Amino acid sequence: MMLIRTTAAYRLLVLGLLGLLLVSCVSVLAFGPASVPLGNVWGILAQQVGLNVDADWSKGQEHIVWLIRAPRVLLGALVGAGLALVGTALQAVTRNPLADPHLLGVSSGAALGAVLVMLYLGDFIGVFSLPLAAFIGAAGSMVLVLAVASHGGRLESDRLLLAGVAVSFVLMALVNLLLYTGDHHTTSSVVFWMLGGLGAARWEVVWLPALCVVIGLGALLVLARGLNALMSGEQTAVSLGFSGRRLRLHVFICTSLLTGVLVSLSGAIGFVGLMVPHMARRLVGAEHRRLLPVSALLGALFLVWVDVAARTLIAPEDLPIGIATAAIGGLFFIMLLRRRR
């Protein structure tokens, strides 16, 4: 695959990915257990934005497209973009190409916080209860991983990955214990949520992940020069005026917030943050001011189409999207390990 180097080619790539994402988001609204003609989909969307069109579709089709599928597709794009951003940033600060929020225990910590709210605490601050608990869990798990991985004041990438896997197992054991001891009627829905899915998408909640993804992308772009320096080594970053410890802290806070909000709405969807950054690097290289936007767009595209497969393969039932990403990501992980060897 040819690496894009010129500014003009990069802008053309970003515009092409944006256009492809827009077309994909509209096209996939036609897929599902109840198919809707693509022409009707365009008409429904045009009517919702205020255009005067002849309505030759049923109220049921309008309800399916606008109230069920449209927020689901938008949430899928946001979750894919956010997880890809998190994976890109974590791979940079850990200098490990196998790092992602799932393998470093961040997703498991977020899941633990969310399960505590769903089973025991309830909506103590309304709609923000689940995202806040997931963020606290994600941040706590990251602190725990860093404490385990630190050795003599240094943070080695291989130790960090191993610590992440170990902490992830411990946290998931706690999650399973909570599920086992909780109310069995509630735990069945929580178990389905943990497998990953976008069925909870509603227009009234989509604004929160959208806001977090936009803020997260902006914050990581501000830190992009530091990420580039850190990829070259700790000493290089220090010589260029960056504090590795402070930069990691900022990145970990940002990625924990993103992961917490996304996991609270979609469950634990693994391996998106592992795969997508590698695809983006094949296109634009490792310069993070270019890499981050392309990773976000590719992640959004990837999860939008994986969701189509999840809701059509065993229709009318929904296949948990985490199963599909885990199958694809596991094969990708094996391929990466073989290439590194």
Side-chain angles (χ1 to χ4, degrees):
M1 187 180 294
M2 186 174 64
L3 188 67
I4 293 175
R5 299 183 184 278
T6 65
T7 302
Y10 173 75
R11 290 175 179 170
L12 188 62
L13 172 66
V14 171
L15 289 175
L17 289 175
L18 277 171
L20 183 59
L21 178 60
L22 178 61
V23 172
S24 296
C25 287
V26 175
S27 300
V28 300
L29 294 176
F31 296 101
S35 61
V36 180
L38 189 57
N40 288 356
V41 170
W42 282 103
I44 292 169
L45 295 179
Q47 185 184 68
Q48 292 297 329
V49 298
L51 298 179
N52 189 15
V53 294
D54 294 330
D56 56 351
W57 52 82
S58 66
K59 284 292 183 182
Q61 288 181 334
E62 182 176 340
H63 179 85
I64 289 171
V65 170
W66 183 248
L67 296 180
I68 297 178
R69 293 184 186 170
R72 175 173 178 147
V73 170
L74 181 57
L75 179 61
L78 291 169
V79 171
L83 292 178
L85 289 173
V86 171
T88 303
L90 290 179
Q91 288 172 15
V93 296
T94 62
R95 299 180 62 204
N96 193 318
L98 302 180
D100 94 321
H102 196 67
L103 293 176
L104 286 181
V106 186
S107 295
S108 300
L112 177 60
V115 168
L116 276 171
V117 168
M118 288 188 284
L119 290 181
Y120 298 102
L121 300 180
D123 294 334
F124 55 93
I125 54 171
V127 70
F128 296 103
S129 304
L130 207 59
L132 177 62
F135 165 64
I136 293 173
S141 66
M142 181 58 73
V143 170
L144 186 58
V145 169
L146 292 175
V148 174
S150 296
H151 180 67
R154 298 181 59 189
L155 197 63
E156 299 174 1
S157 59
D158 289 338
R159 283 179 61 90
L160 186 66
L161 188 63
L162 292 173
V165 172
V167 169
S168 179
F169 273 112
V170 173
L171 294 178
M172 287 310 298
L174 291 175
V175 170
N176 292 330
L177 178 63
L178 292 175
L179 293 174
Y180 182 76
T181 57
D183 178 70
H184 292 292
H185 293 290
T186 308
T187 54
S188 59
S189 60
V190 176
V191 168
F192 186 83
W193 169 84
M194 285 182 59
L195 294 174
L198 305 172
R202 298 292 182 270
W203 283 118
E204 55 267 24
V205 299
V206 167
W207 67 271
L208 181 59
L211 180 64
C212 289
V213 168
V214 170
I215 293 175
L217 175 59
L220 291 175
L221 284 174
V222 170
L223 301 172
R225 289 183 63 249
L227 294 175
N228 293 336
L230 206 56
M231 283 284 286
S232 301
E234 190 83 25
Q235 295 301 322
T236 302
V238 172
S239 65
L240 293 174
F242 296 101
S243 168
R245 186 180 297 272
R246 186 181 301 114
L247 181 61
R248 286 192 180 95
L249 177 62
H250 292 161
V251 171
F252 289 150
I253 291 174
C254 181
T255 54
S256 296
L257 175 61
L258 260 179
T259 305
V261 171
L262 298 177
V263 167
S264 70
L265 294 173
S266 65
I269 299 176
F271 293 104
V272 176
L274 172 67
M275 296 182 289
V276 174
H278 289 276
M279 302 175 190
R281 287 190 195 96
R282 296 290 299 274
L283 289 173
V284 297
E287 207 287 312
H288 283 81
R289 283 172 294 185
R290 291 187 169 198
L291 179 62
L292 288 165
V294 172
S295 290
L297 290 171
L298 288 176
L301 271 169
F302 173 75
L303 209 59
V304 162
W305 283 104
V306 170
D307 181 53
V308 172
R311 54 190 165 92
T312 55
L313 285 177
I314 58 172
E317 297 295 329
D318 266 6
L319 177 71
I321 197 170
I323 295 177
T325 58
I328 299 170
L331 295 174
F332 190 85
F333 189 80
I334 292 171
M335 184 182 70
L336 278 181
L337 287 175
R338 290 183 62 85
R339 286 185 61 189
R340 289 192 78 195
R341 186 174 62 185

